[in-house]
Amino acid sequence: MATLYKTAQTEFMDVEDLIEEREKKSNIKQRVLMVASRGVTFRQRHLMNDLEALLPHSKKESKVEAKQDMELLNELAEIQSCNNVFYFEARKHQDLYLWISRAPSGPCVKFHVQNIHTMDELKMTGNCLKGSRPILSFDATFDTEPHLQLLKEIFTQSFGVPKGARKSKPFYDHVFTFSVVDGRIWFRNYQIVEKDPETGGDVHKNAKPTLIEIGPRFVLNTIRIFEGSFGGPTLYENPRYVSPNVMRAAVRSQQAAKYAVRTAKAAERDARNKANPLPTDPLKDVFE
């Protein structure tokens, strides 16, 4: 966690360059449509609500079951005049998959969302004004591989709040950090604090602002990148990704193996006792 905070603090030093780069891309109106599938749990629903509160240029749609026909999401995005789609797909009431698509032509990324912690769970001391625009901070690892560069551009267009967006405030007071750790993308949200956290007074003019985490936090494990929107040819497939069903099956196999070993030892013990019976005690009937 200290490494993630240090990375966010370092990236925050170049805040002016980040703002200038964001302003150049703000000519295109970015709107995000957030849709959830049926069967989402309370924690997954709260995560979606937190992201909706942090992204003032987002629109929320009713739950849909688009597993068989993913093109329905592109039609919903066109109706709502959105060019980005966040689709939260829940499976077995425990697994959450996040689709981030550029509607209607793509590309599209499918993630497995892990380690979800909402704002209500964290209960951090920081706070940010609803509707304020975030600064996007990316780890230097995003510039090392082509698929990470593509993910960086997708995150910039979807999480970046354009200037003049609906319900947005014309200033920055928090930072979205995206860090690549252990092959996964870690998302953190920090508030920009310009007051001394100990005394509550104003920071010295030569001192640098500090960052306080306010949540939510989650980890994105990339599964596959598609050329089209919710389908099409595969541009990248994560070779290190293991399905949660396979992991649960492996855990059950380990438990079954332990039971089989314990049963085999019990059968071996019974066979050994039968092969070597105890000798009969000639005095066992004396005291009866």
Side-chain angles (χ1 to χ4, degrees):
M1 301 307 297
T3 305
L4 296 177
Y5 178 81
K6 185 177 180 181
T7 302
Q9 191 77 16
T10 304
E11 294 292 339
F12 178 67
M13 304 309 173
D14 302 330
V15 58
E16 295 182 356
D17 297 337
L18 291 174
I19 295 177
E20 183 179 358
E21 182 180 356
R22 285 278 310 284
E23 294 295 340
K24 293 180 181 179
K25 298 181 179 180
S26 62
N27 294 329
I28 302 177
K29 294 298 182 181
Q30 306 289 344
R31 296 184 179 88
V32 179
L33 177 65
M34 292 192 176
V35 188
S37 66
R38 301 187 183 277
V40 293
T41 62
F42 71 95
R43 179 177 285 109
Q44 298 168 358
R45 184 176 65 255
H46 288 177
L47 174 63
M48 181 178 176
N49 294 334
D50 290 345
L51 291 179
E52 182 190 6
L54 292 174
L55 301 178
H57 64 305
S58 63
K59 296 182 180 180
K60 190 175 180 181
E61 184 65 36
S62 302
K63 295 180 181 179
V64 297
E65 191 59 49
K67 184 176 181 180
Q68 302 298 332
D69 187 11
M70 302 292 286
E71 292 295 332
L72 175 63
L73 299 174
N74 292 326
E75 297 178 2
L76 291 176
E78 183 180 0
I79 294 174
Q80 296 290 345
S81 300
C82 297
N83 47 13
N84 297 284
V85 180
F86 283 13
Y87 178 53
F88 297 84
E89 182 182 2
R91 296 183 182 177
K92 298 184 177 180
H93 299 280
Q94 54 185 339
D95 300 328
L96 179 64
Y97 297 90
L98 174 60
W99 296 72
I100 301 180
S101 177
R102 182 72 176 178
S105 59
C108 176
V109 190
K110 182 180 181 182
F111 299 100
H112 180 214
V113 187
Q114 301 172 320
N115 301 335
I116 299 174
H117 297 279
T118 61
M119 288 184 178
D120 295 335
E121 289 180 328
L122 294 176
K123 295 181 180 180
M124 297 292 185
T125 57
N127 189 13
C128 66
L129 183 63
K130 185 175 182 180
S132 60
R133 301 170 63 191
I135 298 174
L136 303 186
S137 174
F138 292 93
D139 188 3
T141 312
F142 279 94
D143 298 328
T144 58
E145 299 184 22
H147 73 279
L148 293 178
Q149 295 177 0
L150 178 58
L151 291 178
K152 179 180 178 180
E153 183 64 26
I154 293 176
F155 289 146
T156 302
Q157 295 183 11
S158 57
F159 284 90
V161 180
K163 184 178 180 180
R166 56 186 294 271
K167 300 181 181 179
S168 65
K169 304 298 186 300
F171 55 86
Y172 303 86
D173 65 349
H174 61 287
V175 182
F176 289 166
T177 63
F178 300 88
S179 305
V180 180
V181 181
D182 194 21
R184 294 172 173 83
I185 301 174
W186 296 54
F187 175 87
R188 296 292 185 269
N189 181 25
Y190 296 96
Q191 178 195 2
I192 304 174
V193 179
E194 298 182 356
K195 292 187 177 181
D196 191 346
E198 296 182 358
T199 62
D202 294 337
V203 178
H204 191 268
K205 63 179 181 179
N206 295 327
K208 297 179 181 179
T210 59
L211 300 178
I212 298 178
E213 185 178 0
I214 58 179
R217 60 166 65 168
F218 53 88
V219 178
L220 299 176
N221 190 5
T222 307
I223 301 177
R224 187 173 297 184
I225 302 178
F226 300 94
E227 182 178 357
S229 180
F230 299 103
T234 300
L235 299 179
Y236 171 78
E237 183 175 2
N238 187 4
R240 300 176 56 185
Y241 172 72
V242 180
S243 174
N245 294 328
V246 176
M247 298 179 63
R248 286 191 289 266
V251 172
R252 289 194 297 267
S253 298
Q254 292 179 357
Q255 295 176 351
K258 292 180 180 179
Y259 176 75
V261 170
R262 187 166 63 250
T263 304
K265 288 183 178 180
E268 181 181 358
R269 183 173 60 254
D270 294 339
R272 186 171 59 251
N273 293 336
K274 292 180 180 179
N276 301 289
L278 294 176
T280 304
D281 186 4
L283 300 178
K284 67 176 183 178
D285 298 333
V286 174
F287 300 100
E288 291 183 357

